[in-house]
Amino acid sequence: MLYLIAWLTDCALILFIFSATRLLAERQADPWTMGTLGAAFFLASAVSNSWAGWLSDRIGRRVVSIAGGIGLATSLWLLLLFDDGAWRFYVAYTGVGISVGHIYPPVIALLSQGVGQREASRRLLCFGIAFNLGILAGQIGGGWLYDHINPRAPLVTAIGLAIGVLACLVAVREG
């Protein structure tokens, strides 16, 4: 289940990045805006990853990861509503970074919990493979959905995947 969460999360994330950057480019956003927005996203994610790792050790991995899943689905949905480039779009964009940062640290901790170093390494390798397959699927799927369905299809698909992430996170048990 944890590998599925990694795949779903990254696939949703890449579909979101594809959708948002494509939308900004089509609206002739200047390169500075696109660059700073991307940097704000990854900075928010990095800070969130650090915070969520510490927090998940104190209040529980499930609680933190489920909060991240709720935040991810909500932020993506808000992007769908506020795709006009207004400040709300930028807040929601950064919110996706914060949300993803709350999913990965608890999931990685759950993967390596209660096993030896060799098994933990194997699990983390499988996590990395699932993570990268999510990137691959998101990139290919984003282009295909945009080209064959409509420009909003990648973001709508990302929302559906985020809801799937949330359902999987609720189903995961610690320990």
Side-chain angles (χ1 to χ4, degrees):
M1 178 81 72
L2 297 172
Y3 304 127
L4 178 60
I5 291 168
W7 184 88
L8 289 169
T9 302
D10 241 40
C11 189
L13 178 62
I14 297 304
L15 285 167
F16 143 74
I17 291 172
F18 176 91
S19 297
T21 52
R22 181 72 191 223
L23 177 69
L24 290 170
E26 288 178 356
R27 298 228 168 115
Q28 270 82 50
D30 60 276
W32 175 253
T33 299
M34 292 175 70
T36 55
L37 189 56
F41 167 82
F42 285 107
L43 177 62
S45 182
V47 170
S48 178
N49 270 289
S50 299
W51 167 252
W54 176 84
L55 189 62
S56 71
D57 287 341
R58 275 136 192 91
I59 66 170
R61 293 174 175 95
R62 284 191 77 238
V63 172
V64 174
S65 63
I66 289 170
I70 291 168
L72 179 61
T74 302
S75 296
L76 291 172
W77 180 75
L78 288 172
L79 278 166
L80 191 61
L81 261 93
F82 302 122
D83 68 352
D84 60 358
W87 65 270
R88 297 173 302 241
F89 176 85
Y90 302 108
V91 169
Y93 195 100
T94 305
V96 173
I98 293 168
S99 300
V100 168
H102 276 66
I103 295 171
Y104 288 129
V107 168
I108 290 170
L110 287 169
L111 278 169
S112 57
Q113 183 175 311
V115 297
Q117 185 176 357
R118 188 174 183 89
E119 179 62 17
S121 293
R122 187 192 67 73
R123 289 179 180 188
L124 292 173
L125 174 65
C126 291
F127 173 86
I129 291 169
F131 180 95
N132 283 292
L133 288 174
I135 292 171
L136 177 73
Q139 284 291 102
I140 293 170
W144 188 89
L145 289 165
Y146 184 91
D147 197 36
H148 290 88
I149 309 294
N150 66 52
R152 290 185 142 208
L155 185 55
V156 171
T157 303
I159 294 167
L161 293 175
I163 292 167
V165 167
L166 184 56
C168 290
L169 290 168
V170 168
V172 167
R173 299 288 172 231
E174 284 188 63

